[in-house]
Amino acid sequence: METPIISLNEASPCQACGACCSYSSNWPRFTVEDDAALDLIPEKFVNENLSGMRCKGDRCSALSGRIGVMTACAVYNVRPEVCRTCMPGDVECEMARSRHGLPTLSGNT
């Protein structure tokens, strides 16, 4: 059976998804952030090694809501660079959506 396609014209595909924030306990990792940027992220959302976001299973602790329905990021304005570069329909997005059984986004696959 062919996977349905969602149009990128739909409002806020990320807020109705959250799959990238619930893909792996090793992601999101901090990469290019400096100490000042990391200090803006509340400590309760940072993992014990200070290497990335704290996760509950494979889900980022800053993510609220239900994957594929409605989600929100508690640290959106200060989220790590890796979160900022993940774009709707890019390879990482589609991989995460697939893992959660969500349809692909049109235009970027």
Side-chain angles (χ1 to χ4, degrees), residues 87-107:
M87 293 287 130
D90 69 10
V91 173
E92 292 80 10
C93 166
E94 295 302 344
M95 189 168 47
R97 290 180 64 84
S98 175
R99 179 166 188 229
H100 286 280
L102 298 171
T104 60
L105 300 174
S106 64

mmCIF file of all heavy atoms in Angstrom, residues 87-107:
data_model
loop_
_atom_site.group_PDB
_atom_site.id
_atom_site.type_symbol
_atom_site.label_atom_id
_atom_site.label_comp_id
_atom_site.label_asym_id
_atom_site.label_seq_id
_atom_site.Cartn_x
_atom_site.Cartn_y
_atom_site.Cartn_z
ATOM 1 N N MET A 87 14.299 20.293 9.006
ATOM 2 C CA MET A 87 13.239 20.983 8.277
ATOM 3 C C MET A 87 12.146 20.004 7.835
ATOM 4 O O MET A 87 12.436 18.844 7.535
ATOM 5 C CB MET A 87 13.812 21.655 7.029
ATOM 6 C CG MET A 87 14.746 22.785 7.324
ATOM 7 S SD MET A 87 13.808 24.209 7.926
ATOM 8 C CE MET A 87 14.722 24.617 9.383
ATOM 9 N N PRO A 88 10.911 20.467 7.780
ATOM 10 C CA PRO A 88 9.820 19.610 7.314
ATOM 11 C C PRO A 88 10.133 19.017 5.942
ATOM 12 O O PRO A 88 10.477 19.751 5.016
ATOM 13 C CB PRO A 88 8.623 20.554 7.232
ATOM 14 C CG PRO A 88 8.944 21.681 8.138
ATOM 15 C CD PRO A 88 10.442 21.823 8.092
ATOM 16 N N GLY A 89 10.066 17.708 5.854
ATOM 17 C CA GLY A 89 10.286 17.020 4.591
ATOM 18 C C GLY A 89 11.726 16.676 4.269
ATOM 19 O O GLY A 89 11.989 16.021 3.268
ATOM 20 N N ASP A 90 12.700 17.089 5.102
ATOM 21 C CA ASP A 90 14.084 16.716 4.804
ATOM 22 C C ASP A 90 14.311 15.252 5.174
ATOM 23 O O ASP A 90 13.412 14.575 5.683
ATOM 24 C CB ASP A 90 15.107 17.667 5.441
ATOM 25 C CG ASP A 90 15.200 17.589 6.963
ATOM 26 O OD1 ASP A 90 14.620 16.668 7.573
ATOM 27 O OD2 ASP A 90 15.875 18.465 7.546
ATOM 28 N N VAL A 91 15.481 14.743 4.897
ATOM 29 C CA VAL A 91 15.774 13.325 5.103
ATOM 30 C C VAL A 91 15.530 12.898 6.547
ATOM 31 O O VAL A 91 14.905 11.864 6.807
ATOM 32 C CB VAL A 91 17.227 12.999 4.670
ATOM 33 C CG1 VAL A 91 17.590 11.574 5.029
ATOM 34 C CG2 VAL A 91 17.398 13.223 3.183
ATOM 35 N N GLU A 92 16.020 13.700 7.494
ATOM 36 C CA GLU A 92 15.849 13.356 8.906
ATOM 37 C C GLU A 92 14.374 13.359 9.300
ATOM 38 O O GLU A 92 13.911 12.486 10.027
ATOM 39 C CB GLU A 92 16.640 14.316 9.800
ATOM 40 C CG GLU A 92 18.145 14.182 9.682
ATOM 41 C CD GLU A 92 18.729 14.882 8.466
ATOM 42 O OE1 GLU A 92 18.004 15.652 7.772
ATOM 43 O OE2 GLU A 92 19.916 14.668 8.197
ATOM 44 N N CYS A 93 13.643 14.344 8.816
ATOM 45 C CA CYS A 93 12.213 14.443 9.086
ATOM 46 C C CYS A 93 11.486 13.210 8.564
ATOM 47 O O CYS A 93 10.713 12.568 9.288
ATOM 48 C CB CYS A 93 11.650 15.707 8.421
ATOM 49 S SG CYS A 93 9.850 15.787 8.325
ATOM 50 N N GLU A 94 11.733 12.867 7.321
ATOM 51 C CA GLU A 94 11.031 11.731 6.716
ATOM 52 C C GLU A 94 11.400 10.411 7.394
ATOM 53 O O GLU A 94 10.554 9.540 7.563
ATOM 54 C CB GLU A 94 11.298 11.671 5.211
ATOM 55 C CG GLU A 94 10.745 12.857 4.448
ATOM 56 C CD GLU A 94 9.241 13.057 4.592
ATOM 57 O OE1 GLU A 94 8.504 12.142 5.029
ATOM 58 O OE2 GLU A 94 8.780 14.169 4.269
ATOM 59 N N MET A 95 12.646 10.264 7.816
ATOM 60 C CA MET A 95 13.067 9.058 8.526
ATOM 61 C C MET A 95 12.309 8.943 9.854
ATOM 62 O O MET A 95 11.807 7.872 10.211
ATOM 63 C CB MET A 95 14.583 9.102 8.760
ATOM 64 C CG MET A 95 15.169 7.834 9.299
ATOM 65 S SD MET A 95 16.992 7.801 9.239
ATOM 66 C CE MET A 95 17.441 9.378 9.912
ATOM 67 N N ALA A 96 12.211 10.041 10.576
ATOM 68 C CA ALA A 96 11.506 10.045 11.856
ATOM 69 C C ALA A 96 10.008 9.811 11.654
ATOM 70 O O ALA A 96 9.382 9.035 12.386
ATOM 71 C CB ALA A 96 11.741 11.370 12.578
ATOM 72 N N ARG A 97 9.430 10.465 10.657
ATOM 73 C CA ARG A 97 8.003 10.276 10.377
ATOM 74 C C ARG A 97 7.715 8.823 10.016
ATOM 75 O O ARG A 97 6.731 8.249 10.477
ATOM 76 C CB ARG A 97 7.533 11.220 9.269
ATOM 77 C CG ARG A 97 7.493 12.678 9.723
ATOM 78 C CD ARG A 97 7.030 13.598 8.602
ATOM 79 N NE ARG A 97 5.662 13.312 8.198
ATOM 80 C CZ ARG A 97 4.580 13.794 8.811
ATOM 81 N NH1 ARG A 97 4.706 14.586 9.856
ATOM 82 N NH2 ARG A 97 3.372 13.499 8.362
ATOM 83 N N SER A 98 8.568 8.228 9.221
ATOM 84 C CA SER A 98 8.392 6.832 8.825
ATOM 85 C C SER A 98 8.411 5.912 10.039
ATOM 86 O O SER A 98 7.599 4.990 10.154
ATOM 87 C CB SER A 98 9.481 6.435 7.833
ATOM 88 O OG SER A 98 9.401 5.068 7.537
ATOM 89 N N ARG A 99 9.344 6.168 10.960
ATOM 90 C CA ARG A 99 9.458 5.340 12.170
ATOM 91 C C ARG A 99 8.176 5.365 12.993
ATOM 92 O O ARG A 99 7.826 4.393 13.646
ATOM 93 C CB ARG A 99 10.630 5.807 13.018
ATOM 94 C CG ARG A 99 10.767 5.006 14.291
ATOM 95 C CD ARG A 99 12.096 5.250 14.932
ATOM 96 N NE ARG A 99 12.259 4.338 16.034
ATOM 97 C CZ ARG A 99 12.639 4.698 17.234
ATOM 98 N NH1 ARG A 99 12.937 5.963 17.466
ATOM 99 N NH2 ARG A 99 12.767 3.832 18.196
ATOM 100 N N HIS A 100 7.463 6.474 12.929
ATOM 101 C CA HIS A 100 6.221 6.615 13.696
ATOM 102 C C HIS A 100 4.979 6.313 12.850
ATOM 103 O O HIS A 100 3.858 6.519 13.299
ATOM 104 C CB HIS A 100 6.132 8.037 14.273
ATOM 105 C CG HIS A 100 7.062 8.247 15.406
ATOM 106 N ND1 HIS A 100 6.798 7.825 16.692
ATOM 107 C CD2 HIS A 100 8.294 8.788 15.446
ATOM 108 C CE1 HIS A 100 7.812 8.122 17.467
ATOM 109 N NE2 HIS A 100 8.742 8.718 16.738
ATOM 110 N N GLY A 101 5.194 5.842 11.614
ATOM 111 C CA GLY A 101 4.066 5.483 10.755
ATOM 112 C C GLY A 101 3.297 6.666 10.224
ATOM 113 O O GLY A 101 2.133 6.538 9.845
ATOM 114 N N LEU A 102 3.952 7.826 10.178
ATOM 115 C CA LEU A 102 3.298 9.033 9.672
ATOM 116 C C LEU A 102 3.548 9.176 8.177
ATOM 117 O O LEU A 102 4.598 8.768 7.673
ATOM 118 C CB LEU A 102 3.815 10.261 10.416
ATOM 119 C CG LEU A 102 3.555 10.277 11.912
ATOM 120 C CD1 LEU A 102 4.301 11.439 12.574
ATOM 121 C CD2 LEU A 102 2.075 10.355 12.194
ATOM 122 N N PRO A 103 2.614 9.784 7.447
ATOM 123 C CA PRO A 103 2.790 9.957 6.008
ATOM 124 C C PRO A 103 3.930 10.925 5.698
ATOM 125 O O PRO A 103 4.290 11.771 6.515
ATOM 126 C CB PRO A 103 1.448 10.528 5.548
ATOM 127 C CG PRO A 103 0.814 11.079 6.759
ATOM 128 C CD PRO A 103 1.342 10.309 7.935
ATOM 129 N N THR A 104 4.473 10.811 4.504
ATOM 130 C CA THR A 104 5.545 11.699 4.077
ATOM 131 C C THR A 104 4.988 13.081 3.785
ATOM 132 O O THR A 104 3.787 13.254 3.595
ATOM 133 C CB THR A 104 6.257 11.167 2.812
ATOM 134 O OG1 THR A 104 5.290 11.067 1.767
ATOM 135 C CG2 THR A 104 6.887 9.819 3.058
ATOM 136 N N LEU A 105 5.866 14.061 3.750
ATOM 137 C CA LEU A 105 5.504 15.418 3.378
ATOM 138 C C LEU A 105 5.885 15.609 1.922
ATOM 139 O O LEU A 105 6.977 15.243 1.508
ATOM 140 C CB LEU A 105 6.224 16.441 4.262
ATOM 141 C CG LEU A 105 5.930 16.342 5.759
ATOM 142 C CD1 LEU A 105 6.826 17.314 6.520
ATOM 143 C CD2 LEU A 105 4.478 16.608 6.045
ATOM 144 N N SER A 106 5.033 16.191 1.132
ATOM 145 C CA SER A 106 5.302 16.353 -0.309
ATOM 146 C C SER A 106 6.327 17.443 -0.565
ATOM 147 O O SER A 106 6.509 18.346 0.243
ATOM 148 C CB SER A 106 4.018 16.691 -1.061
ATOM 149 O OG SER A 106 3.504 17.932 -0.645
ATOM 150 N N GLY A 107 6.997 17.332 -1.686
ATOM 151 C CA GLY A 107 7.884 18.378 -2.141
ATOM 152 C C GLY A 107 9.334 18.250 -1.757
ATOM 153 O O GLY A 107 10.183 18.827 -2.389
#
